[in-house]
Structures are given as C-alpha cells and as structure tokens.
Amino acid sequence: MVYYSDWDSFEKAASELFASAADKARYTIKYRNCDAALVLKVTDDATCVQLRTGRLGDIKKIARLHRQLCQSTSLRAEKLKSRQPEFPLAQTPEKASATEKVSSKAGGAVGKQPKKTRGKKRR
C-alpha cells in the first residue's frame, strides 16, 4: 500500500490505475473520526494507492475525482449493456416439451389455475 502525500500525484496514479484495470478496480472513501482524516483508497487487488488528508480544501478535489470515476464506471456499464450476448437466449426443445406437458395437465389453459372451493367438495 502506497500513501501519497500530495493530491496531484495521487489523482494521477488513481486515474491511471482505474483506467488500466477497469473491470477490477474499485475505490473507497472513509472518514476516520479519531484522526479527523479522510482516507481515499483505489485498488485492483494487485496495486493499492491511498491518500490520507485532513484538509478541508481537498473536499472539492475529492468530489471532482469521485465524479470522474463514476462517469468512467457508468460509461463502462453502458458499453457492456450495448454488447450482444455471446450465447443467445433460446429455449431448448427439452424445456419446450416440458412446458407443453404442464399446460396439457392443467386442462389446456395456460396461465389459469383450477378454482378452489370452500367447504365440502361437490360431486
């Protein structure tokens, strides 16, 4: 774990790490009340960069970095949604025949359940 002492080098390292391992990278923001410090951590399980700050002036910089990382994450999610699935979702013939058997047992009406009677059964 590497603690950076200045904001500019941390921001550069965090952005590069998040861009290089976009599918594995994550970041956390934690406030330590006992130290009155804010700890930012960006990791991809192999590399970890951290910054501990107690300055109030860094809040806007942290918000800007947070916005930047959120935008890159949302763009990545949109790209994944737009991709076609590798295996098309098709119903196999075995499953189709199983559903036909179930519907034939229910009296041929798909989606209808038999009515329940209260009290004595009528014959």
Side-chain angles (χ1 to χ4, degrees):
M1 287 189 248
V2 178
Y3 276 99
Y4 283 87
S5 58
D6 63 314
W7 174 259
D8 295 329
S9 60
F10 170 77
E11 185 178 19
K12 183 178 178 183
S15 297
E16 288 175 0
L17 179 64
F18 208 81
S20 67
D23 57 337
K24 292 184 179 181
R26 61 190 181 277
Y27 71 100
T28 60
I29 302 172
K30 180 171 56 173
Y31 179 71
R32 294 178 46 93
N33 195 24
C34 59
D35 300 337
L38 197 63
V39 178
L40 286 94
K41 177 179 172 182
V42 180
T43 183
D44 67 346
D45 293 332
T47 308
C48 180
V49 293
Q50 292 184 339
L51 175 77
R52 180 179 291 162
T53 182
R55 297 185 343 185
L56 212 57
D58 288 339
I59 299 296
K60 287 186 179 181
K61 294 176 185 177
I62 292 169
R64 185 181 67 219
L65 178 67
H66 176 73
R67 192 171 36 246
Q68 177 186 4
L69 295 178
C70 283
Q71 285 176 349
S72 66
T73 304
S74 64
L75 290 175
R76 182 176 18 151
E78 288 177 8
K79 287 179 185 177
L80 290 175
K81 285 181 183 177
S82 66
R83 288 180 50 195
Q84 295 294 327
E86 294 178 15
F87 302 105
L89 301 174
Q91 192 175 19
T92 60
E94 298 164 356
K95 289 183 181 177
S97 63
T99 56
E100 288 172 5
K101 289 178 186 176
V102 170
S103 64
S104 65
K105 287 182 182 178
V110 178
K112 291 187 178 180
Q113 296 180 355
K115 293 182 181 180
K116 295 182 181 179
T117 58
R118 295 182 186 209
K120 296 181 181 179
K121 290 186 179 180
R122 295 182 187 174
R123 291 185 183 198

